[in-house]
Amino acid sequence: MTQEVQKNRIQNSYEKLTGMLQRLCSKISDRMEQIPMKRMVVYAAILFVLSLIPLLLLGRYNVMCIDDYDYGRVVHDTWLETGSLWRSIQTAWKQNMEFYQNWQGTYISCFLMALCPMNFRYEAAWVVPIIMIGMFATSTFVLGRHILRQWLGCDKNGSSFIMLMILFMFYQVIEAPFEGIYWYNGATHYIFMESVWFFTLAAISAAFRSLKKSREIILCMIAAVLAVIVGGGNLVTGLQAEILMVLLLVYAVVTNRKKIWTVGIPLLTGSIGFLLNILAPGNAVRSELDPSIGYSAVMSVLLSFYHAIVFMIRWTPAFVIIVWLMLLPVLWKLTGQSKQKFDHPVWVTAGACCVLAAMFTPTLYAVGMVGLARVDNIIQMVYYLCVIIVTAYWLGYLNHRERDALGLFLDKIKGRMTVVCFCLMLLIWVLTADKNTYTSISALRSLVNGEAQTFYGEAMERHDIYIDEDIVDVEVKPYSARPALFSFDDLTTDAGNWLNLAVMQYYHKAYVKLAED
């Protein structure tokens, strides 16, 4: 009898405790649901900025590396000889034209890569993450917000909140942080050029949807110039640009022929630039020297869809799923208020899948492989944009028809799921067991434990040796510490290694290598 009484007491205590917790959570949710979306945008912006601070602070300890030496050598020599920025720019363009004839056709990327800031001041590597994050985050925000507002009919504050959370999520799970944030050469070729394309696409779309003739003309001319720049960049972005501009042109022909020129002119200039890129004599020279053999065109396309599925699974961890669930009620509310019709969800989904898969095609065709880290960064962001756009479109489709189970569920929970998932996301982000899982936490860890400071001090010791004209046979010590985000290849004990040779030629030494233990 006593045991029965104790069980009842325990049961009653448990029910009281769970009831109190439920009421507390309900009150917190109700309070948070009353927060206006404008204030939520401010909170999201603060969270995003806070997450970037460790990444930018870590940039203080960034250094020159890998292809930065090969592409910047002649510009560095010109700068040391003349001290003239204009002469250095001329040298960069001259080298660019030589590359166009003998190595690769990416005439814009090669020019920009030659103008590495560290050619002019070695300690200037801290500006690289500012440039790359600034360009990519801004262009992604502008494009994503434009699509949500102009094409899907979402309001300004809601669109801003969604894009800020997507950017926060992306920079925490970015496939290759070093290649996309800190490495000048790799980030310029892909992150920077994809940013230019995002701005171009936003300008074309804004011109197409503009009601003012003067604004149409200005935006179209801006897009036409930017399209040439995009055409001279990496082939992944260039092919993506061609596909999307053709799709927009078809859409203009079907829906509003008076606006064809707003898409047609950038498509024309971009296609000319892209043809100049792929038809460069240097591409043929390089293909003869490089034994890599890609797949046929048809096989490359088919394999692109397979690899798109593989990488979509890879880029959808629990953290991403929680953010997606958090945004579902917001997107449901926004699309419910939209005046768009959302009549073609299947076509939109198919189009998004094709655009994403097409980004895997160039490397499959050229070298028969995927998974190049610096390329994957831009594909990953396009994937997240496609997920949000397709999700919003399907929710809009369901929202403007008879409510099904999903609609009734989202109507009932309102913002509670957003609040719960937002808190859960923060807990996972801050309390992750492996402190290198998320980039901001990893950067903060490297700053706090001194890895970054130790690494930078040793890098500067190497640099002092490199610039000492009395030392021609260079042997340097391996790094004793290095931040996890700085995942670049280092020198080896083999003086004939390609990276050792690049450093040797850059500083005009007899040889450069790591000292033997």
Side-chain angles (χ1 to χ4, degrees):
M1 190 68 178
T2 304
Q3 291 181 349
E4 187 69 25
V5 172
Q6 287 179 345
K7 288 182 179 179
N8 290 335
R9 287 179 179 177
I10 294 173
Q11 181 68 25
N12 292 334
S13 299
Y14 174 77
E15 291 177 354
K16 288 180 180 179
L17 180 60
T18 54
M20 289 174 59
L21 289 174
Q22 289 176 355
R23 288 192 294 272
L24 178 61
C25 291
S26 179
K27 287 182 179 180
I28 293 174
S29 297
D30 291 339
R31 286 284 183 90
M32 296 190 73
E33 283 182 16
Q34 294 172 5
I35 299 175
M37 182 54 69
K38 189 174 183 178
R39 191 179 299 174
M40 291 295 291
V41 172
V42 174
Y43 294 155
I46 292 173
L47 175 64
F48 180 50
V49 171
L50 288 175
S51 72
L52 293 182
I53 290 175
L55 300 178
L56 298 177
L57 289 177
L58 185 63
R60 164 66 180 80
Y61 306 102
N62 192 24
V63 295
M64 193 174 185
C65 61
I66 321 179
D67 286 344
D68 294 341
Y69 293 108
D70 275 331
Y71 281 82
R73 182 174 65 251
V74 294
V75 174
H76 181 244
D77 289 342
T78 300
W79 175 254
L80 292 179
E81 291 171 5
T82 67
S84 169
L85 180 60
W86 175 244
R87 290 285 298 277
S88 299
I89 293 173
Q90 288 179 315
T91 300
W93 185 256
K94 182 180 179 181
Q95 175 184 264
N96 181 38
M97 291 297 96
E98 292 175 355
F99 279 3
Y100 186 81
Q101 294 294 329
N102 303 309
W103 187 243
Q104 65 188 99
T106 53
Y107 53 90
I108 297 296
S109 288
C110 287
F111 175 64
L112 294 176
M113 288 189 289
L115 294 174
C116 176
M118 289 78 86
N119 290 331
F120 308 99
R121 181 176 174 80
Y122 184 79
E123 297 85 353
W126 61 270
V127 306
V128 177
I130 295 176
I131 294 171
M132 300 310 164
I133 292 177
M135 277 290 293
F136 199 60
T138 303
S139 62
T140 302
F141 181 84
V142 169
L143 177 62
R145 187 170 178 266
H146 170 80
I147 293 173
L148 288 170
R149 290 194 67 196
Q150 299 298 322
W151 290 90
L152 302 181
C154 301
D155 68 41
K156 178 176 67 175
N157 291 325
S159 301
S160 299
F161 174 75
I162 290 168
M163 289 313 303
L164 286 168
M165 293 309 305
I166 291 297
L167 284 167
F168 166 76
M169 177 191 75
F170 169 75
Y171 275 104
Q172 297 314 302
V173 298
I174 182 173
E175 177 73 10
F178 176 72
E179 286 86 345
I181 299 175
Y182 300 104
W183 179 26
Y184 177 79
N185 187 284
T188 296
H189 196 33
Y190 290 98
I191 289 291
F192 189 90
M193 297 308 297
E194 186 75 10
S195 302
V196 176
W197 163 237
F198 282 173
F199 281 128
T200 306
L201 182 56
I204 295 172
S205 177
F208 177 77
R209 300 188 69 87
S210 176
L211 300 177
K212 295 182 179 180
K213 195 70 174 180
S214 59
R215 190 167 183 266
E216 283 181 32
I217 295 173
I218 293 172
L219 288 171
C220 181
M221 293 302 102
I222 292 173
V225 174
L226 292 178
V228 177
I229 297 174
V230 173
N234 70 81
L235 299 183
V236 175
T237 299
L239 179 60
Q240 178 195 29
E242 291 295 300
I243 293 172
L244 286 173
M245 284 192 289
V246 169
L247 291 176
L248 275 174
L249 183 64
V250 172
Y251 182 82
V253 170
V254 173
T255 61
N256 190 351
R257 295 190 177 184
K258 293 181 180 180
K259 296 278 191 172
I260 289 177
W261 65 275
T262 61
V263 183
I265 293 176
L267 174 60
L268 177 62
T269 59
S271 297
I272 292 172
F274 190 59
L275 286 173
L276 288 173
N277 187 342
I278 62 177
L279 297 178
N283 293 335
V285 175
R286 186 174 183 177
S287 64
E288 293 178 0
L289 297 174
D290 190 345
S292 300
I293 299 175
Y295 295 98
S296 66
V298 174
M299 183 58 68
S300 296
V301 172
L302 294 176
L303 286 174
S304 295
F305 285 93
Y306 164 75
H307 287 291
I309 295 173
V310 172
F311 276 86
M312 282 192 289
I313 296 171
R314 174 174 173 170
W315 292 331
T316 315
F319 188 81
V320 172
I321 294 173
I322 289 172
V323 174
W324 179 75
L325 290 173
M326 179 188 73
L327 296 177
L328 274 184
V330 180
L331 289 170
W332 177 255
K333 181 180 179 180
L334 294 176
T335 54
Q337 297 170 348
S338 173
K339 296 180 180 180
Q340 301 297 328
K341 294 182 179 179
F342 303 98
D343 289 333
H344 308 289
V346 175
W347 284 109
V348 170
T349 305
C353 292
C354 289
V355 169
L356 182 66
M359 297 186 75
F360 291 95
T361 306
T363 54
L364 286 168
Y365 181 73
V367 295
M369 64 176 293
V370 296
L372 297 173
R374 54 191 180 276
V375 183
D376 292 343
N377 286 331
I378 60 175
I379 305 177
Q380 185 182 14
M381 176 51 88
V382 171
Y383 166 58
Y384 292 147
L385 286 175
C386 288
V387 168
I388 286 299
I389 293 167
V390 170
T391 300
Y393 202 96
W394 274 101
L395 290 177
Y397 174 80
L398 297 173
N399 230 321
H400 290 73
R401 284 153 183 82
E402 185 176 351
R403 291 286 195 269
D404 57 5
L406 176 62
L408 294 174
F409 172 73
L410 291 173
D411 281 333
K412 183 178 180 180
I413 63 170
K414 295 182 180 179
R416 292 188 179 184
M417 188 164 80
T418 298
V419 172
V420 171
C421 290
F422 183 80
C423 295
L424 184 59
M425 176 200 71
L426 291 179
L427 286 174
I428 293 175
W429 180 50
V430 174
L431 301 179
T432 175
D434 183 356
K435 299 306 179 184
N436 291 320
T437 300
Y438 304 114
T439 56
S440 295
I441 304 299
S442 179
L444 184 62
R445 173 182 174 275
S446 295
L447 292 167
V448 171
N449 66 16
E451 285 178 349
Q453 294 85 340
T454 300
F455 165 78
Y456 188 72
E458 294 175 351
M460 293 308 296
E461 288 177 4
R462 289 189 182 188
H463 183 253
D464 290 339
I465 297 173
Y466 294 154
I467 62 176
D468 189 335
E469 295 181 357
D470 296 329
I471 302 176
V472 293
D473 300 333
V474 177
E475 294 189 16
V476 296
K477 298 177 181 178
Y479 291 118
S480 63
R482 184 162 59 172
L485 297 185
F486 288 0
S487 56
F488 59 86
D489 293 333
D490 193 13
L491 302 173
T492 69
T493 55
D494 178 13
N497 176 270
W498 72 271
L499 181 54
N500 295 48
L501 292 174
V503 177
M504 177 199 76
Q505 293 168 353
Y506 190 89
Y507 292 104
H508 303 287
K509 301 299 181 181
Y511 68 82
V512 174
K513 67 176 185 177
L514 285 184
E516 300 283 352
D517 291 339

